[in-house]
Amino acid sequence: MNIIQEGSSVIVNGINDFNVVHVFDCGQCFRFYQEEDGSYTGVAFKRVINVDYRDNKLIIDNANIKEFNDIWRKFFDLDRDYSLVKKQLSEIDDTMIKSTEFGHGIRIIKQDEWETIVSFITSANNRIPMIKRAIEGISEKYGELIGEYRGKKHYTFPSPEKMKELTLEDLKISGVGFRAKYILDAANKVVNGDVDIYNLKDCEYSMAKKELMTINGVGPKVSDCILLFSMDKYNAFPIDVWVKRVMEYFYYPEGIDNKVLQVKADEKFGKLAGFAQQYLFYYARELKIGK
């Protein structure tokens, strides 16, 4: 991996297994939007960046090498060999060969714990465009202005302390609907120290999941999303409607209980369960498998 600065962009040469559409449209994050040129612009960790990938080069605009080393290297999981991950999953069966080939450029990004909690509480019984709109609405109303980039103003995601001060109506007008009460419960528990979200990554998976589920509105699927996308728990296997369909379509009887399916996924995929889930989710959703 060779990293250079060219103007306002950091250019990372020699990056394989990266596709911006696969990374940003696989359901793991909600603040990146595709530009007309195919690149993606978004906000993470109080910074605005534009991301593109071509000719085995990852191009991160509006960034510098220090920020790359401090934030974006870990954010995009660039030190992991995804070719090896896909090889190991492909050895399981033909379904994993097809799903890893289809979503060959997926990488699991490492997001802020608090923003991930709110994002996936908002995701419950919701569609991705509506989730994006709600998260953007919260940021514009209650976050801080970062600045203007590519003709658009961008805002930070508000802290739990800020969101604790809000009312149900404040949140509802941002588009989260009935989930407002769950978000406020999360803010209160985080601020009061009832759930130590910034140290859960150091806990064993089942203990971290149990603690997250003390937050109202955080069930098995939402907690697994939080653990996978922000807390380094790559054995987490979030089961949503698409994952359930594809698992039933290829592996197990229709109507299998989610708790049983969770155990089966752990047996089948082990420590790579989270990666398998992302490839299967993207494969099933894009090709409407099992619909």
Side-chain angles (χ1 to χ4, degrees):
M1 186 164 47
N2 173 253
I3 308 153
I4 60 173
Q5 183 89 42
E6 286 189 6
S8 63
S9 296
V10 172
I11 313 294
V12 189
N13 295 284
I15 293 293
N16 300 314
D17 310 299
F18 198 108
N19 181 295
V20 288
V21 175
H22 296 175
V23 170
F24 295 118
D25 283 350
C26 68
Q28 63 177 323
C29 65
F30 306 104
R31 293 204 71 191
F32 280 80
Y33 295 82
Q34 191 173 38
E35 302 280 5
E36 290 184 1
D37 62 4
S39 66
Y40 280 73
T41 298
V43 177
F45 296 100
K46 300 182 179 181
R47 290 166 175 82
V48 186
I49 57 170
N50 175 267
V51 185
D52 202 358
Y53 180 81
R54 53 181 181 268
D55 302 323
N56 284 347
K57 294 180 181 179
L58 176 63
I59 304 157
I60 306 174
D61 190 46
N62 204 33
N64 57 53
I65 290 178
K66 183 180 186 306
E67 290 173 352
F68 172 82
N69 287 320
D70 290 347
I71 301 170
W72 308 122
R73 186 172 190 145
K74 188 173 184 179
F75 183 77
F76 290 114
D77 203 18
L78 295 180
D79 291 312
R80 188 182 308 277
D81 184 352
Y82 274 76
S83 293
L84 178 60
V85 171
K86 289 182 287 187
K87 178 178 182 294
Q88 291 172 333
L89 289 172
S90 294
E91 290 170 352
I92 294 173
D93 56 32
D94 286 345
T95 296
M96 292 313 303
I97 291 173
K98 291 174 183 176
S99 62
T100 54
E101 287 176 349
F102 185 83
H104 60 87
I106 288 174
R107 282 178 177 263
I108 295 178
I109 60 176
K110 176 68 179 295
Q111 302 174 70
D112 171 74
E113 293 91 335
W114 171 242
E115 184 172 344
T116 307
I117 287 172
V118 176
S119 295
F120 283 96
I121 288 176
T122 304
S123 76
N125 300 313
N126 210 351
R127 296 180 298 109
I128 287 178
M130 301 302 292
I131 302 166
K132 284 189 170 187
R133 192 176 304 167
I135 297 303
E136 200 60 32
I138 290 171
S139 302
E140 288 178 359
K141 288 181 173 65
Y142 309 115
E144 297 176 359
L145 178 65
I146 299 171
E148 190 169 314
Y149 177 76
R150 287 199 169 202
K152 180 183 175 183
K153 292 180 179 179
H154 296 271
Y155 298 82
T156 64
F157 191 78
S159 67
E161 290 77 12
K162 174 65 177 178
M163 294 185 74
K164 183 177 183 290
E165 300 170 358
L166 305 178
T167 66
L168 285 175
E169 289 305 314
D170 289 336
L171 277 172
K172 283 181 178 178
I173 62 174
S174 298
V176 299
F178 70 88
R179 306 162 194 85
K181 60 181 178 292
Y182 302 140
I183 293 171
L184 284 182
D185 182 66
N188 276 283
K189 284 176 176 167
V190 170
V191 173
N192 295 339
D194 299 324
V195 181
D196 187 3
I197 63 172
Y198 296 107
N199 287 310
L200 285 183
K201 64 180 178 292
D202 300 321
C203 297
E204 189 268 331
Y205 163 73
S206 59
M207 183 181 297
K209 183 170 182 174
K210 183 177 180 181
E211 185 162 347
L212 281 172
M213 288 175 61
T214 64
I215 299 171
N216 293 335
V218 176
K221 179 257 182 179
V222 170
S223 59
D224 274 332
C225 287
I226 296 164
L227 291 166
L228 178 59
F229 301 134
S230 71
M231 297 183 181
D232 298 334
K233 303 303 182 190
Y234 297 106
N235 60 323
F237 191 84
I239 300 173
D240 76 338
V241 63
W242 287 111
V243 173
K244 182 85 176 283
R245 285 172 182 166
V246 76
M247 293 295 281
E248 290 175 342
Y249 187 83
F250 287 112
Y251 298 121
Y252 303 112
E254 189 173 339
I256 186 172
D257 182 79
N258 279 10
K259 289 182 180 179
V260 176
L261 184 54
Q262 198 90 52
V263 173
K264 295 286 188 183
D266 182 60
E267 292 171 353
K268 180 174 285 292
F269 303 120
K271 64 182 181 180
L272 298 178
F275 300 99
Q277 190 270 358
Q278 279 294 275
Y279 292 118
L280 287 167
F281 170 84
Y282 189 67
Y283 184 52
R285 189 192 65 183
E286 294 301 301
L287 296 184
K288 306 294 189 292
I289 292 173
K291 186 172 182 180

